[in-house]
Amino acid sequence: MEIVHIAAELAPLAKVGGLGDCIYGLARAFKDKDNKIEVILPKYDTLNLSEVENLHVFLNDLPSPFEGERYVNTIWKGQVHGIAVTFIDSHDPYHFFKRGKIYGCPDDLERFAYFTRAALEYLQQCKRDPDIIHIHDWHTSLAAPLIKKHYPRLGKVILTIHNMLYRGVGPAHLLRKIGLDAPELKDGAQINLLRGGIIFCDAVTTVSPTYAKEILSDTTGDTLCALLREYRFKFKGVINGIDYEYWNPQTDPYLSTHYNAKQPSGKKKAQKELRELFSLQDKAVPLVGCVTRLVAQKGPELIKQALFRTLERGGQFVLIGSAHEEETEKRFQTLKQTMGTTAQAHIGLTYDEKWAHLVFAAADIMVVPSIFEPCGLTQMIAMRYGALPLVRHTGGLADTVADGINGFSFLDPTAESISKCLDRAYDVWESKREIWDKMVDKAMQEDFSWKVPAQEYLVLYNSLLKTVV
Ligand code: ADP
């Protein structure tokens, strides 16, 4: 089967969060199944090209339509950890992908609309005939209406919604710029790119069964949830996996010490290293970690409360948080300043892959108190690294963490609720070591690899190929 992913992220060279991990893991899972897999990505100026092997120009001057003009693109190809990747290097006058970041520009809608159309032009002009085009989130949702209206030869389209919060909403004139006549995308006075993806694709998935149920049973009057209810016959939740080679405490190149479930002593060394790195006191208390984007969805107030409660109980807390919302960033800057220097906590307001790996390896507990969570990968990574996740019972967190078995969970998004949950975890760590060790063992033995989800996607892809148009 020939499967092409068109996406805005690919770990580890273009990653903001779980979307990048997901494309990486899913593509690699299929690479092992004798399929032809390709990921198409913008050639951002921020790409970590040291992760790309055999990078070369495949095609010069590939034209792509935008606002009545035809801008040219250079098509690059390379391999990322065994995945064939095609990069669209756009020579548009706005320098769409030379902005020093992946998202967060006022013209993000134009940027990704341009990229999506260019990706389809590349497939069409190269006379490609993929079986499946897998698109992800609002960034590449336009591929679904574009394929149905302009490139019908290009194959079946499946859309995965990684997070319904982000929809690609903007002014209707974008459609004229991209050359698409699709009134179906209108949502009130504006257009909604995710809406177009849902209507025109052949199948829609989201990243966990519980999140799928939550969306379908939404009672807030959300128009996209209503739309998904209308299209529920082609919608399902498939839990994400994590790449078990990339996330492996036995071989992780970011760690200087390795371990596994049978010989967990390397974890102690990782704790020592983390404490040294962040000037934390070297003492035998629980290390609580949090690796996250600092946005409202992730429960920033609950993260703060977890930090306060950990310190009250005599534990230590390490946060690696990347800021994406000004307001949330300010709150954490203030918190960092107020706390001053302490030997019991570290607040790192940055994105750092190496630090993230070390925190997963060193932590006893990883907190993930999301207000909502489509899937969540950090709880699964935590378990793989022998840290017990402490999560709010929602979305994919509810599908992967069983309270008292492989982690801890709480329901109410309140300071009291998370504090009580932390107290329970702290008590087990402190005075029921046998139970703690059993839970860690259980967590490390869980299989959150892509094996099962990839099989589900394979069944879905096959069912689409059997569908008569
Ligand atoms: P989301 O995609 O909503 O951000 P997920 O839990 O699905 O959340 O995936 C988060 C991914 O991004 C994980 O691989 C996590 O390790 C990584 N990550 C999040 N924040 C940071 C950070 N500040 N530094 C390094 N890695 C991060």
Side-chain angles (χ1 to χ4, degrees):
M1 202 184 293
E2 188 175 335
I3 303 154
V4 175
H5 293 272
I6 308 179
E9 294 184 36
L10 174 67
L13 69 163
K15 169 173 161 181
V16 174
L19 175 61
D21 288 295
C22 176
I23 311 294
Y24 176 86
L26 188 56
R28 277 172 45 97
F30 272 86
K31 172 183 94 50
D32 298 339
K33 286 189 198 302
D34 284 343
N35 299 297
K36 191 170 173 206
I37 302 292
E38 176 178 354
V39 177
I40 308 182
L41 202 67
K43 193 160 182 294
Y44 301 107
D45 55 354
T46 49
L47 285 179
N48 179 0
L49 289 178
S50 65
E51 301 283 0
V52 189
E53 272 176 56
N54 190 23
L55 182 66
H56 61 278
V57 171
F58 172 72
L59 200 62
N60 269 312
D61 301 335
L62 178 119
S64 179
F66 193 68
E67 53 193 15
E69 303 285 331
R70 289 181 85 74
Y71 299 139
V72 293
N73 306 273
T74 303
I75 307 299
W76 296 73
K77 287 193 180 261
Q79 294 275 323
V80 175
H81 303 200
I83 308 166
V85 183
T86 299
F87 300 95
I88 309 274
D89 187 3
S90 156
H91 305 299
D92 65 88
Y94 310 102
H95 310 290
F96 279 147
F97 297 102
K98 312 225 163 12
R99 304 286 181 82
K101 55 184 168 188
I102 292 180
Y103 314 122
C105 304
D107 57 351
D108 275 358
L109 257 68
E110 270 95 343
R111 296 171 68 226
F112 288 103
Y114 177 86
F115 161 66
T116 303
R117 179 105 208 218
L120 298 179
E121 280 294 323
Y122 147 72
L123 291 171
Q124 174 96 341
Q125 291 180 37
C126 292
K127 302 200 169 25
R128 293 280 302 280
D129 191 16
D131 296 297
I132 298 286
I133 298 197
H134 198 150
I135 57 179
H136 299 270
D137 274 349
W138 72 264
H139 321 109
T140 55
S141 274
L142 257 187
L146 279 169
I147 288 173
K148 297 298 170 200
K149 289 178 185 258
H150 291 280
Y151 310 88
R153 213 183 45 75
L154 277 184
K156 296 286 183 182
V157 188
I158 162 165
L159 163 70
T160 295
I161 301 175
H162 298 257
N163 193 334
M164 275 269 279
L165 182 65
Y166 308 106
R167 299 171 173 204
V169 174
H173 64 74
L174 176 72
L175 292 184
R176 266 199 315 279
K177 284 194 182 181
I178 206 69
L180 178 69
D181 180 17
E184 297 89 341
L185 270 63
K186 289 227 171 84
D187 192 2
Q190 300 203 291
I191 53 153
N192 181 319
L193 300 188
L194 196 57
R195 182 182 165 82
I198 294 168
I199 295 173
F200 286 96
C201 71
D202 297 294
V204 196
T205 64
T206 191
V207 287
S208 72
T210 297
Y211 187 59
K213 265 190 234 144
E214 287 170 358
I215 295 173
L216 290 177
S217 55
D218 169 87
T219 52
T220 63
D222 185 311
T223 51
L224 266 198
C225 292
L227 187 73
L228 275 171
R229 278 197 289 277
E230 204 181 307
Y231 286 98
R232 66 190 310 158
F233 62 90
K234 62 173 181 180
F235 175 56
K236 76 180 289 196
V238 179
I239 192 86
N240 276 340
I242 53 171
D243 189 282
Y244 262 35
E245 267 181 53
Y246 187 77
W247 295 107
N248 184 355
Q250 249 179 299
T251 53
D252 190 329
Y254 290 104
L255 301 181
S256 56
T257 162
H258 295 113
Y259 60 94
N260 59 30
K262 290 196 185 85
Q263 288 171 317
S265 64
K267 200 164 168 71
K268 290 261 172 298
K269 287 191 195 140
Q271 294 189 330
K272 200 170 163 41
E273 196 177 323
L274 186 83
R275 285 182 166 120
E276 268 169 25
L277 178 70
F278 294 135
S279 309
L280 300 181
Q281 204 179 340
D282 193 11
K283 60 177 183 177
V285 294
L287 239 171
V288 182
C290 182
V291 173
T292 188
R293 290 183 298 123
L294 282 174
V295 291
Q297 175 203 336
K298 302 291 179 182
E301 286 309 307
L302 298 175
I303 294 171
K304 268 164 119 179
Q305 181 58 29
L307 184 152
F308 295 145
R309 190 66 189 154
T310 299
L311 298 187
E312 275 164 19
R313 293 287 314 242
Q316 294 178 332
F317 198 97
V318 173
L319 166 69
I320 308 296
S322 45
H324 296 268
E325 293 171 355
E326 213 176 305
E327 191 46 42
T328 314
E329 182 179 11
K330 260 194 223 149
R331 281 182 356 229
F332 276 85
Q333 293 281 15
T334 310
L335 174 72
K336 194 176 158 91
Q337 277 157 13
T338 324
M339 288 192 41
T341 327
T342 157
Q344 311 308 333
H346 174 82
I347 299 178
L349 299 181
T350 180
Y351 178 93
D352 193 300
E353 189 74 18
K354 182 174 174 19
W355 285 0
H357 284 243
L358 185 58
V359 174
F360 285 118
D364 295 298
I365 299 168
M366 289 293 291
V367 291
V368 195
S370 308
I371 304 305
F372 74 92
E373 191 56 79
C375 177
L377 301 180
T378 52
Q379 80 281 12
M380 297 194 250
I381 302 169
M383 287 189 250
R384 179 100 168 121
Y385 282 68
L388 293 183
L390 188 150
V391 307
R392 199 174 95 68
H393 189 77
T394 182
L397 299 171
D399 288 331
T400 50
V401 179
D403 187 63
I405 309 287
N406 61 7
F408 301 91
S409 65
F410 64 98
L411 188 58
D412 295 334
T414 60
E416 193 193 351
S417 211
I418 192 168
S419 295
K420 275 194 184 150
C421 192
L422 256 173
D423 285 349
R424 279 199 289 128
Y426 206 102
D427 291 343
V428 179
W429 186 92
E430 209 167 39
S431 44
K432 296 179 189 139
R433 274 324 276 231
E434 233 172 76
I435 296 180
W436 183 273
D437 290 343
K438 241 190 184 162
M439 287 178 70
V440 170
D441 194 51
K442 170 80 179 135
M444 290 185 85
Q445 304 291 348
E446 296 280 12
D447 184 356
F448 292 116
S449 71
W450 272 100
K451 215 168 18 187
V452 174
Q455 189 55 33
E456 273 199 65
Y457 273 109
L458 186 63
V459 170
L460 183 59
Y461 293 162
N462 273 320
S463 73
L464 292 185
L465 294 181
K466 283 191 200 120
T467 316
V468 183
V469 189

